[in-house]
């Protein structure tokens, strides 16, 4: 079954509300990532040399916005095209950076869990639904699959030791 119009609408409508509170949600998103997987801290250049998650770090905020926004864009593409189509240059960059930083499959699951928990907390129990969880989860899974495929291609180009 493809991504439905309702799923796309759920992601887009919730994103419109989420982006009104991005500084706080960005902080929460990264706090959750580090609660779930403390070792992930060293994978983010803007967190490596810090003992705590910096409250006003523009790179942290920008990275969180990218994850939310690209997941949202994935939902639109899934509805329109049936697949995630990230621009080649962006996908190559994402694949390269994730490969260089040693990102592996379980890391994508950590980010997904943090993303979904951040959104759920932002909306509260009464507005959060299984449908919204599935819509954001599917959009993220498809985006992650596109990045992983690019990482695999990048890895194949690297000289073997």
């Amino acid at each position: 079954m493809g991504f439905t119009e309702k799923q796309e609408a759920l992601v887009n409508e919730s994103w419109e509300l989420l982006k009104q509170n991005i500084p706080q949600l960005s902080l929460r998103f990264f706090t959750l990532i580090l609660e779930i997987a403390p070792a992930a801290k060293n994978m983010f250049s803007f967190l490596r040399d810090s003992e705590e998650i910096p409250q006003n770090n523009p790179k942290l905020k920008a990275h969180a916005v990218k994850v939310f926004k690209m997941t949202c864009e994935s939902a639109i593409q899934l509805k329109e095209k049936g697949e995630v189509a990230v621009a080649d240059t962006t996908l190559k960059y994402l694949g390269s950076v994730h490969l260089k930083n040693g990102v592996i499959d379980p890391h994508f699951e950590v980010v997904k869990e943090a993303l979904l928990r951040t959104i759920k907390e932002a909306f509260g129990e009464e507005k959060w639904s299984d449908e919204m969880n599935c819509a954001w989860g599917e959009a993220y899974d498809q985006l992650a699959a596109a990045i992983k495929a690019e990482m695999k291609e990048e890895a194949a180009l690297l000289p073997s030791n």
Side-chain angles (χ1 to χ4, degrees):
M1 180 173 107
F3 204 73
T4 67
E5 211 168 294
K6 184 171 185 181
Q7 285 176 306
E8 179 193 17
L10 279 169
V11 172
N12 284 330
E13 288 165 16
S14 52
W15 169 239
E16 287 305 313
L17 291 170
L18 292 169
K19 65 183 175 184
Q20 295 169 21
N21 195 13
I22 271 302
Q24 186 180 347
L25 292 176
S26 300
L27 197 62
R28 184 64 186 142
F29 175 62
F30 276 101
T31 300
L32 285 170
I33 287 174
L34 298 181
E35 277 176 18
I36 298 164
K41 179 181 174 200
N42 294 324
M43 300 180 114
F44 298 99
S45 60
F46 49 87
L47 294 178
R48 263 182 218 131
D49 301 324
S50 173
E51 285 307 305
E52 56 186 45
I53 297 177
Q55 297 280 332
N56 296 311
N57 185 320
K59 288 183 179 178
L60 178 140
K61 182 178 158 188
H63 191 87
V65 168
K66 256 185 244 170
V67 174
F68 280 104
K69 195 168 188 227
M70 288 189 80
T71 303
C72 190
E73 288 168 357
S74 296
I76 295 165
Q77 293 168 358
L78 283 168
K79 174 66 187 90
E80 290 176 357
K81 301 175 182 148
E83 65 179 359
V84 173
V86 180
D88 273 354
T89 52
T90 303
L91 199 55
K92 284 198 181 315
Y93 172 75
L94 289 171
S96 170
V97 166
H98 284 81
L99 188 66
K100 185 181 87 185
N101 286 324
V103 175
I104 54 175
D105 283 0
H107 298 136
F108 284 97
E109 289 305 311
V110 167
V111 171
K112 179 182 179 180
E113 183 182 336
L115 177 76
L116 294 175
R117 281 174 55 188
T118 301
I119 298 165
K120 182 178 184 176
E121 288 176 15
F123 278 88
E125 290 291 334
E126 63 284 343
K127 290 184 183 171
W128 181 251
S129 67
D130 287 343
E131 284 179 301
M132 192 183 291
N133 185 65
C134 287
W136 274 95
E138 179 64 18
Y140 176 82
D141 285 346
Q142 295 296 325
L143 174 62
I147 294 170
K148 288 182 208 176
E150 186 58 38
M151 287 171 64
K152 199 172 183 179
E153 280 185 36
E154 285 276 325
L157 297 173
L158 293 174
S160 49
N161 296 338

